[in-house]
Amino acid sequence: MATDYYELLGVSQTATQEEIKRAYRRKARELHPDVNKSPEAETQFKEVSTAYETLSDPQRRERYNRFGAEGAAAGAGGGDPFGGSGLGDIFDAFFGGQSPFGGGGGSRGPAGPPRGVDIEARVDLEFESAVFGSEAEVEVRTAVACAVCEATGAEPGTSPETCPECNGAGQVRRVRQSILGQMVTSGPCGRCGGMGKTIAKPCKHCDGEGREIADKVFTIDVPAGVDSGTTLRLPGKGAVGPRGGGAGDLYVQIRVRPHEYLRRDGDDLVHTLPISATQAALGTHITYETLDGSEDLIIPKGTQTGRVFTLRGRGVPHVKGRGRGDLRVEVVVETPTGLSGAEEDLLRQLAELRGEDVAPADDGLFARIRSAFK
């Protein structure tokens, strides 16, 4: 194996971590055994992976720069020699980040197909549907099991075979001689990518992935009382993993359309209700429409702007627990405008009876002049 890891990846000794990662992805895409069938590709792939394993870890890279390959290997602990990122970077190169060797949706054991990634979607609800709960349909584009190979990844009539390098374990042990003695490490098998099985004849329909991209529609139950920003989790409705791997989860974000006149304040509903000055002064009964139906709202005499009338239990159901919030109706008294002559006379009589000073009536030349500038 060549001793210069920088030369193997085609980068300089001053390369940044991002440059090293890009170089590794490029090399992995060229040399991966599932793509490059040349006899030397597998060996070169392992060499490149070891180089990336070392240079992607700042501490091991420093030891490599000072002591060489053996010095870097001496500091490597057990477990994943790719530092949790190497195999994911390989799949980045092929499938844009949807790793079949440990997707973002979860983890897996030493061997076997990994769980698929979680996916997100959004659904828009009418105000009443969010308050009382409903069913909603959400469409997602996701990975589903390949119908041709039945998720095995192998061409119909064939089947995956136990990996001859790791004997189906999905992990390989490496013994290295270092300045501190023998070091034993284990990591995903480079031949089968940690799957434990290899495919001699990949399915032509899915290129050996065991899955394909398709549109799916799910019907979800929306609980009563949800609001914009709520996220619902649907276990097992995410993308399926490669070659029969389990499915991730689906996370649905809720967005609620605004109501015509109601707004939410936690689990309470609030409405600003305009009434006329005469209604406020003399009182009135109003047929008020709540989300549950009509209510008789009594406005007593002398009601002032800002007074709040509370309708108990007419708000939003509590998502966690029983009962509902309240509906608060806040009154705003509107001052009349555009009065007719008769209306103005009546108001002046009222002011006179109450002993209130008001502006004099507009008449004559000055009234005509003012009205010309209106």
Side-chain angles (χ1 to χ4, degrees):
M1 174 177 176
T3 56
D4 191 336
Y5 290 167
Y6 293 102
E7 183 179 343
L8 276 173
L9 295 177
V11 296
S12 68
Q13 291 192 8
T14 59
T16 64
Q17 289 295 320
E18 186 60 34
E19 290 172 338
I20 290 173
K21 179 180 287 190
R22 286 200 299 268
Y24 172 65
R25 291 177 180 175
R26 184 171 58 252
K27 290 287 186 180
R29 186 164 51 239
E30 296 172 358
L31 300 173
H32 194 277
D34 287 345
V35 176
N36 193 328
K37 303 300 182 182
S38 66
E40 302 84 7
E42 183 177 343
T43 300
Q44 294 173 352
F45 176 76
K46 292 179 181 178
E47 292 176 347
V48 167
S49 297
T50 301
Y52 178 70
E53 165 195 343
T54 300
L55 299 183
S56 62
D57 185 326
Q59 294 181 347
R60 295 186 64 188
R61 181 179 180 181
E62 182 180 355
R63 288 194 295 271
Y64 172 78
N65 291 340
R66 296 178 61 185
F67 305 114
E70 294 299 333
D80 183 3
F82 293 94
S85 62
L87 289 173
D89 291 332
I90 295 174
F91 205 74
D92 262 348
F94 289 103
F95 302 99
Q98 302 275 335
S99 171
F101 307 126
S107 58
R108 58 172 180 148
R115 174 179 179 267
V117 298
D118 299 334
I119 57 177
E120 293 183 356
R122 189 184 71 193
V123 63
D124 293 331
L125 296 177
E126 295 299 334
F127 194 87
E128 291 85 347
S129 298
V131 169
F132 296 117
S134 63
E135 287 188 343
E137 287 190 347
V138 56
E139 183 175 350
V140 296
R141 189 163 181 79
T142 183
V144 299
C146 175
V148 175
C149 67
E150 297 181 342
T152 65
E155 190 70 13
T158 67
S159 60
E161 301 173 351
T162 301
C163 175
E165 183 163 335
C166 66
N167 293 320
Q171 300 277 318
V172 291
R173 293 164 59 89
R174 299 181 179 89
V175 180
R176 295 174 177 168
Q177 197 68 32
S178 72
I179 57 177
L180 300 179
Q182 274 194 345
M183 302 293 295
V184 180
T185 62
S186 64
C189 174
R191 184 179 183 88
C192 66
M195 292 285 192
K197 294 182 179 294
T198 58
I199 298 177
K201 294 183 178 180
C203 171
K204 294 184 178 65
H205 183 73
C206 65
D207 295 326
E209 267 283 284
R211 57 183 181 172
E212 56 185 320
I213 302 299
D215 293 323
K216 292 194 69 175
V217 177
F218 296 101
T219 300
I220 62 174
D221 292 321
V222 180
V226 299
D227 199 1
S228 291
T230 301
T231 299
L232 304 180
R233 173 176 173 264
L234 281 69
K237 301 299 184 183
V240 301
R243 303 184 193 176
D249 299 333
L250 170 61
Y251 290 88
V252 181
Q253 297 179 351
I254 301 297
R255 188 172 67 178
V256 182
R257 296 187 179 96
H259 191 267
E260 180 182 359
Y261 56 85
L262 295 174
R263 68 180 187 277
R264 284 188 64 160
D265 180 14
D267 287 341
D268 287 348
L269 295 175
V270 182
H271 178 208
T272 301
L273 176 67
I275 62 174
S276 69
T278 50
Q279 288 176 318
L282 303 176
T284 184
H285 284 205
I286 296 177
T287 301
Y288 183 82
E289 292 296 331
T290 72
L291 296 180
D292 299 271
S294 299
E295 294 275 352
D296 186 22
L297 183 61
I298 300 175
I299 307 295
K301 294 179 179 180
T303 294
Q304 303 295 313
T305 289
R307 181 167 180 177
V308 176
F309 299 88
T310 301
L311 301 179
R312 302 294 180 188
R314 291 294 183 263
V316 179
H318 304 309
V319 176
K320 297 180 180 179
R322 299 179 178 179
R324 294 173 60 176
D326 300 328
L327 170 56
R328 306 198 308 266
V329 182
E330 182 178 348
V331 168
V332 174
V333 180
E334 293 185 324
T335 302
T337 59
L339 298 173
S340 67
E343 291 171 333
E344 184 173 337
D345 288 341
L346 288 174
L347 286 178
R348 291 189 178 281
Q349 293 176 33
L350 175 62
E352 184 177 352
L353 289 173
R354 294 177 61 86
E356 297 172 347
D357 290 331
V358 295
D362 289 335
D363 56 358
L365 176 62
F366 293 106
R368 289 193 295 273
I369 294 175
R370 279 196 293 271
S371 61
F373 287 95
K374 290 183 180 180

